[in-house]
Amino acid sequence: MAEPIAVRQSPLAHLEPVSGRDLCIAEMPFLTQVNLRVNPEGRAAAEIGLTLGVPLPTEPGTYASADADVLWLGPDEWLVVGEADEVGTADELEARLRFAAGTEHVGVTDVSAQRTALLVSGPRARDLLAHGCALDLHPRSFGPGRCAQTMLARAQVLLVAHEGDEFTVFVRSSFAGYLATWLLDAAAEYLVE
Amino acid sequence: MLLIPCPWCGPRDEAEFHYGGQAHVVYPDNPAALSDTEWARYLFFRDNPKGPFAERWSHVAGCRRWFNVVRDTATNEIHAVYRVGETGPVNA
């Protein structure tokens, strides 16, 4: 039997998931991520909304969910994210979006390897993120359904707020080791049982 | 640190932005017709007022859009923020 030449390895493969009563931190490796640029008023945007099962969110700092999460990145830019077993591989998702757009002018780019995702959850998740983030993370201003590109501990991140004090932190692969180490250090006080 | 209200993302720390210099510097209609002095004046000469100044900023750590800000250079007070293509108090 031939050995595989290379096995895909996530940027935080060395990270042991941390789990406490008030806080859990774990990597969600190998999410399918596709960057989408399209005129939000055009026919292509509507068709892409139909194929994704949810219209592209146009309110800044929000996301919409169907099989995939569609995160607002800019007035004409979105990130479509999902587990590979739900939305397919990046190639498949890209092909679906391109097919939906038809002949209209869109930009669809596989960026799955650009960022990895950290799941930070638990009643102390907001407190932990607030250690290094200037955004107001109170549920009143950053509740479920909100997302934001900002800085966390001086690293560029994409924060996504889910139901039940659960956050996904997307971070560039090259910054992931640093950010995970920073998070673990900042989390020390919340992990004491 | 300045708190800059991005027209798309809302108020964010200055550290998330990149400064783009004076806004509304109009590209010459016929650059080839300009003398070296006039071309240099277009390229390198900018206003430096004490008081309200229209300038460009880019939200590089956020939505990555360029927009315009009217900032008082003496007090750092931000008087207006408007998107590219929109009319502001200065180019109105």
Side-chain angles (χ1 to χ4, degrees), chain B residues 10-34:
Chain B
R12 297 292 183 93
D13 272 355
E14 182 186 355
E16 295 191 7
F17 295 86
H18 183 79
Y19 184 63
Q22 184 177 355
H24 313 305
V25 178
V26 182
Y27 191 77
D29 283 337
N30 186 6
L34 296 187

Side-chain angles (χ1 to χ4, degrees), chain B residues 12-85:
Chain B
R12 297 292 183 93
D13 272 355
E14 182 186 355
E16 295 191 7
F17 295 86
H18 183 79
Y19 184 63
Q22 184 177 355
H24 313 305
V25 178
V26 182
Y27 191 77
D29 283 337
N30 186 6
L34 296 187
S35 69
D36 283 356
T37 312
E38 287 167 327
W39 180 243
R41 190 155 279 281
Y42 161 71
L43 283 184
F44 304 119
F45 281 61
R46 295 292 179 265
D47 297 340
N48 186 21
K50 180 180 180 184
F53 186 42
E55 50 197 19
R56 296 179 305 168
W57 287 82
S58 170
H59 192 189
V60 284
C63 59
R64 312 208 325 266
R65 300 307 122 153
W66 284 96
F67 58 96
N68 300 305
V69 174
V70 178
R71 178 180 64 94
D72 191 307
T73 55
T75 63
N76 268 337
E77 188 185 348
I78 290 171
H79 292 299
V81 171
Y82 48 103
R83 296 170 184 173
V84 171

